[in-house]
Amino acid sequence: MKALIVVDMQYDFLPGGALAVNEGDAIIPIINDLMAHYDLVVATQDWHPQEHESFASNHVGGKVFDQIELNGLPQTLWPDHCIQGTKGADLSDQLDQRPIAALFRKGMDKTIDSYSGFFDNGHVKNTGLGSYLQGMAVEEVHVCGLAADYCVYYTAQDALQLGFKAAIVQNATKPIDSTNFEILKDQFIAEGGSIIIGHSFG
């Protein structure tokens, strides 16, 4: 079984959103086409409470993109985004949601950020995605969506650590920082992952 994980294709990460990834909307048609090539499609959704401590607005004097320590972990401060129940947290209407078998929400604990679709950043709590995929007899996962150098990368990295064969679909993701993503791709390959172009596989 081969699964596609569609990461955080939400309005706040698309052009015009609170934490927009440049040209993030350009990958939506690619993802829609990719889904038919997989035995299983799942998706993740950032789902933050308003008081989430990764938001710069919840720190006196905090500025967006400041680096702080949050409960013992390094933390980037973000603009308020993907707040539960808001339009910005919704999956894009342009995304074909019909093939998505299950949706896994993350970032709900206000005290810790969650880039990966599998675990929070401290690996204290899991979303259930790993157990779900294992229960569906999935052996290989391909990861796409937003953003390449954050939630896509960390989701793919955790998939490797859980024993899945894992790949990042390069033409179906966009980074916040393309230079950083090049470094992360090399790290991911060194850890046993692969970078693929959608439709270039069997």
Side-chain angles (χ1 to χ4, degrees):
M1 286 278 283
K2 185 187 295 181
L4 182 69
I5 303 175
V6 181
V7 175
D8 297 1
M9 291 304 299
Q10 297 165 260
Y11 284 111
D12 270 345
F13 296 127
L14 298 172
L19 187 51
V21 178
N22 189 39
E23 298 182 341
D25 54 341
I27 64 174
I28 296 176
I30 299 169
I31 293 173
N32 287 343
D33 288 344
L34 278 177
M35 293 184 191
H37 294 261
Y38 291 86
D39 303 306
L40 178 70
V41 179
V42 298
T44 69
Q45 184 182 28
D46 241 9
W47 195 248
H48 294 309
Q50 177 69 65
E51 65 274 16
H52 201 277
E53 293 175 20
S54 71
F55 295 166
S57 64
N58 289 323
H59 296 267
V60 176
K63 296 182 178 62
V64 171
F65 302 128
D66 276 356
Q67 300 295 317
I68 68 164
E69 185 176 292
L70 181 62
N71 297 316
L73 294 172
Q75 176 66 52
T76 300
L77 292 184
W78 304 109
D80 294 16
H81 66 279
C82 297
I83 295 168
Q84 297 169 0
T86 65
K87 180 68 173 178
D90 288 348
L91 297 181
S92 170
D93 288 342
Q94 295 176 45
L95 182 72
D96 184 2
Q97 297 180 38
R98 292 172 298 178
I100 298 172
L103 180 66
F104 293 85
R105 287 175 166 168
K106 59 191 181 67
M108 297 172 69
D109 184 335
K110 71 177 184 178
T111 65
I112 192 165
D113 217 350
S114 295
Y115 297 152
S116 167
F118 291 96
F119 298 99
D120 62 59
N121 290 2
H123 279 221
V124 175
K125 300 176 182 177
N126 75 73
T127 64
L129 174 56
S131 297
Y132 177 82
L133 294 176
Q134 289 162 353
M136 297 293 284
V138 169
E139 296 179 352
E140 181 174 352
V141 298
H142 294 173
V143 187
C144 65
L146 298 172
D149 47 338
Y150 283 94
C151 296
V152 168
Y153 168 74
Y154 286 103
T155 297
Q157 186 185 51
D158 278 347
L160 277 181
Q161 293 178 3
L162 287 170
F164 297 102
K165 184 177 178 183
I168 294 171
V169 188
Q170 179 160 313
N171 60 327
T173 187
K174 293 282 186 180
I176 292 175
D177 180 339
S178 57
T179 302
N180 184 43
F181 184 48
E182 290 304 312
I183 296 169
L184 294 175
K185 282 196 294 186
D186 289 342
Q187 290 180 9
F188 185 63
I189 291 168
E191 292 168 357
S194 56
I195 308 296
I196 63 170
I197 303 298
H199 294 317
S200 69
F201 45 88

